[in-house]
Amino acid sequence: MPTLPAFRPRLLDSLQHYSRALLRQDLMAGITVGIVALPLAMAFAIASGVPPQAGIFTAVIAGLLASLLGGTRLCVTGPTGAFIVIIYGIVVKYGVANLIICTFIAGAMLVLMGLLRLGQVIKFFPMPLITGFTNGIAVLIFLTQLKDFFGLPIAQMPAGFFAVLHALRQHIADFDPLTLAISAASLLLILLWPRRLNSRLPGPFVALVLATLTVGLFHLPLATIGSKFGGIPQGLPAFHGLTLDPQHLSDLLTPAFTIALLGAIESLLCAVVADSLTGDKHDANQELIAQGIANMVVPFFGGIPATGAVARTATNIGNGGKTPVAGIVHALLLLIIILVAAPLAAYIPLAALAAILIAVALKMGDWDIRKAAQFPRQDTAILIVTFVLTVVFDLTIAVEIGLLSAAVLFIRRMAASTSVQQLRPEHAQLFERHSIAGKTVPDGCVAYRVEGALFFGAADTLERLVSQPSSVRVVILQLHRLVLLDTTGLLALSTLHQRLAEQDRTLILCGAGNEVTSMLRNARLAHEMGVGNIQPDLTTALRRAEEVLTSGVVWG
């Protein structure tokens, strides 16, 4: 019987050698992330159909608990755009009380995933599937924010793609020019805000402050948090017991599972991104347990589902955050704002929050159509199907059918890669070209071989090749025993090349078959690496390594 994972938050390891210098860096990063999180937390809550304070309370409580108990050093937790569509659908269909129950159940599921060591669940979601539903969610967020962006006279946006389109078509001619002016100006400011300033003074926060000052100073008749929600209560979030609704309990299990699954994917993706930026290694099971505990606690204080936030995590790292203390500082700053400046939130125009969310939606998706055309058609088909199902139906159906399609196509491709061939004398020569026997690997070079399939369930096996001794300048990766390569595997090879290049090291691929070579060219990876670093066999790859080591030429 498998043992339970050891419960050891990364904070404990970080505090063992903590110093005043680290505290100073964490304070600066945490304050910056808190400023970024403030408008996002309110915007995500309002878009989800709940009061703005629900988003801030979630950012405070979930952000604090995840940083205290999590399996990463620098991930920042809070409400995210990925949950908006799911939460809004639950609120419209079952009400806020059942959303709270749903969040608690999802948290329990996340804890169970961690205890069952399912932290590697993200490996079984191919990149086209994740890109498909991420882009779909971005489109839905964009559509639902057009009401407040244009100031349309719609009491409440309906749930469902076609219902939203119908409501927009009916009322688009009744837009408010003043609201549109404020929202459009806010959106342009966010999108055009210089990146060099964004690290110290985030564009969304600047847009929020300027829009609020404009509306307040000129007494513009725009919808605000005060006019719609009566402002934000000043003080600590109140504790509320959970009211179980047996009538809808069975109905809530499916959306709760969707929240848990999406929360797991988002959190672990966030951890992977943080690892890639810092060279750290997260504890996936510990992170799932921490995210689960956070989502079990926030419902008692009127919160909504939370997960790891990639943008806020990148902001944390970019501003010098070093330990989970930065995430704790971010949560405490938001708490101080609630206690001190909550009355000022009543003047925040909904148009500015809509602009912030539209900017999030635009940045959230991967809209480079040329990239999809470079990948295998089957993977592109999964991306399109998942995207359409997410937009037209819902995320649960999209993930279920997307995963089923990916599994069927994977089995088909694995079957197609199996063949029986008669042994011929020329095979001995072929084996000799790829064998290390009789060949010398030059100093400063290491050689590896991939065997089997490099697909979405095994792409992370390349991660360990990034860590090489300082003396290594060239890494050879032999592919002649690679039986399958998919889009996620291609991205893993591209990431490996980029990370080695950042260390002034060269990656050489050799021995790839005709199909794999064609995929490398179609995805422009061969161009990215340099055609000289794609070799037909180990013999020529070693010759190329000697050339790089001797002359320092890494391209061509």
Side-chain angles (χ1 to χ4, degrees):
M1 182 176 179
T3 58
L4 295 178
F7 187 84
R8 184 170 180 81
R10 289 298 300 273
L11 178 64
L12 296 179
D13 299 326
S14 300
L15 292 180
Q16 287 182 353
H17 305 287
Y18 205 65
S19 65
R20 186 174 297 178
L22 287 175
L23 176 60
R24 184 166 53 251
Q25 290 177 294
D26 285 338
L27 280 173
M28 293 302 300
I31 291 171
T32 304
V33 176
I35 293 172
V36 171
L38 178 63
L40 292 177
M42 291 188 291
F44 290 145
I46 293 173
S48 301
V50 297
Q53 63 265 27
I56 300 180
F57 292 163
T58 301
V60 171
I61 298 168
L64 182 63
L65 289 174
S67 294
L68 287 172
L69 307 175
T72 69
R73 285 194 303 117
L74 295 168
C75 284
V76 178
T77 293
T80 66
F83 283 134
I84 288 176
V85 179
I86 304 172
I87 297 173
Y88 189 80
I90 296 172
V91 171
V92 170
K93 192 171 183 179
Y94 301 109
V96 175
N98 282 312
L99 168 65
I100 291 174
I101 296 294
C102 210
T103 305
F104 181 84
I105 296 172
M109 290 178 176
L110 282 168
V111 171
L112 186 61
M113 287 181 190
L115 293 176
L116 293 178
R117 297 180 179 274
L118 298 180
Q120 300 303 318
V121 64
I122 191 175
K123 290 170 54 177
F124 303 104
F125 286 76
M127 193 56 66
L129 179 71
I130 295 174
T131 302
F133 71 65
T134 302
N135 284 11
I137 290 170
V139 168
L140 292 174
I141 292 173
F142 180 87
L143 289 175
T144 56
Q145 292 311 299
L146 294 180
K147 166 186 171 291
D148 290 330
F149 191 86
F150 286 93
L152 303 180
I154 303 175
Q156 185 180 33
M157 287 293 281
F161 175 69
F162 294 110
V164 169
L165 287 183
H166 179 70
L168 291 173
R169 188 173 63 249
Q170 277 191 322
H171 297 280
I172 192 65
D174 302 322
F175 74 92
D176 178 36
L178 193 56
T179 299
L180 179 59
I182 293 295
S183 56
S186 300
L187 179 60
L188 285 174
L189 190 150
I190 294 169
L191 296 179
L192 300 178
W193 189 250
R195 184 174 297 180
R196 57 187 176 81
L197 298 178
N198 208 49
S199 61
R200 295 298 179 189
L201 198 58
F205 182 77
V206 175
L208 185 75
V209 171
L210 291 180
T212 303
L213 288 174
T214 302
V215 171
L217 292 175
F218 295 98
H219 304 288
L220 300 181
L222 267 65
T224 63
I225 287 180
S227 65
K228 184 170 182 177
F229 300 100
I232 293 177
Q234 186 174 15
L236 296 173
F239 179 87
H240 301 283
L242 302 185
T243 304
L244 188 63
D245 184 358
Q247 182 180 355
H248 292 113
L249 184 59
S250 59
D251 297 328
L252 296 177
L253 291 179
T254 298
F257 178 73
T258 304
I259 290 174
L261 192 60
L262 185 58
I265 294 171
E266 285 279 305
S267 295
L268 297 179
L269 268 178
C270 183
V272 170
V273 170
D275 287 352
S276 68
L277 293 173
T278 63
D280 198 20
K281 190 70 175 176
H282 69 278
D283 184 337
N285 296 313
Q286 179 69 38
E287 185 65 14
L288 286 182
I289 293 173
Q291 294 291 339
I293 292 173
N295 280 281
M296 290 177 70
V297 173
V298 292
F300 290 99
F301 298 92
I304 57 178
T307 185
V310 175
R312 273 158 276 174
T313 297
T315 301
N316 185 23
I317 295 170
N319 283 275
K322 299 299 181 184
T323 75
V325 174
I328 295 172
V329 171
H330 132 270
L332 294 179
L333 176 66
L334 291 175
L335 180 60
I336 293 171
I337 291 174
I338 294 175
L339 296 176
V340 176
L344 299 177
Y347 301 99
I348 296 175
L350 298 183
L353 294 177
I356 290 171
L357 277 184
I358 286 180
V360 168
L362 293 175
K363 296 176 181 178
M364 179 179 178
D366 187 350
W367 311 112
D368 191 350
I369 300 176
R370 296 170 301 174
K371 186 185 296 183
Q374 295 167 358
F375 293 139
R377 292 180 181 177
Q378 294 177 338
D379 289 338
T380 303
I382 292 174
L383 189 156
I384 294 172
V385 168
T386 308
F387 171 78
V388 172
L389 290 174
T390 301
V391 172
V392 176
F393 294 99
D394 64 50
L395 187 62
T396 305
I397 295 175
V399 172
E400 289 173 353
I401 296 181
L403 270 179
L404 180 62
S405 301
V408 171
L409 290 175
F410 172 71
I411 293 171
R412 179 183 172 187
R413 289 163 71 175
M414 284 296 292
S417 67
T418 303
S419 63
V420 178
Q421 299 180 0
Q422 182 180 356
L423 291 176
R424 301 181 183 279
E426 56 265 27
H427 289 165
Q429 183 181 3
L430 180 66
F431 176 79
E432 182 181 346
R433 287 170 50 208
H434 294 300
S435 174
I436 193 66
K439 302 180 179 68
T440 302
V441 178
D443 293 337
C445 173
V446 290
Y448 296 89
R449 179 174 66 200
V450 177
E451 297 195 21
L454 190 59
F455 70 111
F456 58 85
D460 62 342
T461 54
L462 297 182
E463 289 181 3
R464 69 185 185 90
L465 302 189
V466 176
S467 301
Q468 299 291 340
S470 58
S471 59
V472 173
R473 290 179 50 204
V474 177
V475 176
I476 295 176
L477 190 60
Q478 194 180 50
L479 305 178
H480 82 285
R481 291 195 179 181
L482 183 66
V483 298
L484 175 68
L485 179 68
D486 73 349
T487 299
T488 310
L490 276 170
L491 292 174
L493 286 172
S494 177
T495 300
L496 176 62
H497 159 68
Q498 293 170 3
R499 294 184 65 183
L500 288 174
E502 290 170 1
Q503 303 170 9
D504 293 325
R505 291 170 173 163
T506 302
L507 175 65
I508 300 175
L509 302 180
C510 68
N514 293 334
E515 182 179 352
V516 172
T517 301
S518 177
M519 291 177 66
L520 294 175
R521 288 173 179 164
N522 291 339
R524 298 190 61 77
L525 181 57
H527 174 75
E528 178 185 331
M529 293 179 57
V531 292
N533 294 329
I534 308 292
Q535 295 293 334
D537 52 52
L538 183 59
T539 302
T540 54
L542 290 171
R543 194 178 303 137
R544 170 62 177 169
E546 290 179 348
E547 177 186 342
V548 171
L549 292 168
T550 302
S551 64
V553 177
V554 297
W555 186 268

